[in-house]
């Protein structure tokens, strides 16, 4: 899926459309109409729909995603005729996925001891 990032007040360095793995995921209906929800990314379609949202819940926050930005392309089964072409499209842009994941962790105030990506 191609995403357009909408993250407010961030230092996320990727400002162009972002390519990430999508496997029948969801979108979040009217997400921007709720006061406790921030849309972080939309699908880059003619009618953009919320793909990643951040929700304030009590004293905490959660991030929900309709795309699989946690899934590294090198984990794809290259013998699968469906996944092999997808992996070839995602692999060259994996640095963008890694930057997105680091950004999402940062938004949740999760401090990483080492770079897991």
């Amino acid at each position: 899926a191609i995403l357009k990032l909408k993250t407010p007040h961030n230092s996320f360095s990727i400002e162009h459309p972002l390519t990430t793995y999508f496997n029948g995921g969801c979108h979040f209906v009217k997400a921007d109409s709720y006061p406790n929800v921030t849309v972080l990314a939309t699908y880059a379609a003619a009618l953009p729909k919320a793909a990643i949202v951040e929700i304030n819940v009590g004293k905490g926050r959660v991030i929900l995603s309709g795309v699989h930005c946690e899934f590294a392309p090198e984990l794809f089964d290259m013998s699968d005729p469906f996944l092999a072409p997808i992996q070839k499209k995602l692999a060259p842009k994996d640095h963008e996925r890694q930057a997105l994941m680091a950004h999402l962790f940062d938004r949740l105030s999760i401090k990483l001891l080492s770079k897991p990506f």
Side-chain angles (χ1 to χ4, degrees):
I2 307 292
L3 302 180
K4 290 184 180 177
L5 303 173
K6 296 185 68 170
T7 54
H9 314 299
N10 69 56
S11 59
F12 192 50
S13 62
I14 299 170
E15 297 181 16
H16 52 81
L18 173 85
T19 303
T20 190
Y21 182 56
F22 174 83
N23 185 2
C26 65
H27 71 273
F28 301 94
V29 179
K30 299 182 182 178
D32 54 359
S33 68
Y34 296 95
N36 61 332
V37 176
T38 302
V39 176
L40 301 179
T42 60
Y43 294 104
L47 296 171
K49 298 176 180 177
I52 302 175
V53 296
E54 180 180 275
I55 305 169
N56 294 321
V57 181
K59 294 181 181 180
R61 283 177 285 150
V62 298
I63 291 179
L64 303 175
S65 177
V67 297
H68 291 284
C69 49
E70 80 285 357
F71 202 81
E74 66 264 13
L75 299 176
F76 283 52
D77 179 0
M78 293 302 288
S79 66
D80 183 316
F82 174 73
L83 292 176
I86 295 171
Q87 191 273 352
K88 288 178 184 175
K89 288 181 182 177
L90 293 176
K93 297 184 177 213
D94 194 48
H95 65 283
E96 295 177 359
R97 179 196 66 81
Q98 293 176 23
L100 175 61
M101 287 299 296
H103 174 69
L104 296 176
F105 283 132
D106 188 54
R107 289 192 66 84
L108 294 172
S109 300
I110 296 172
K111 304 296 180 210
L112 302 175
L113 297 177
S114 64
K115 187 176 177 183
F117 315 110

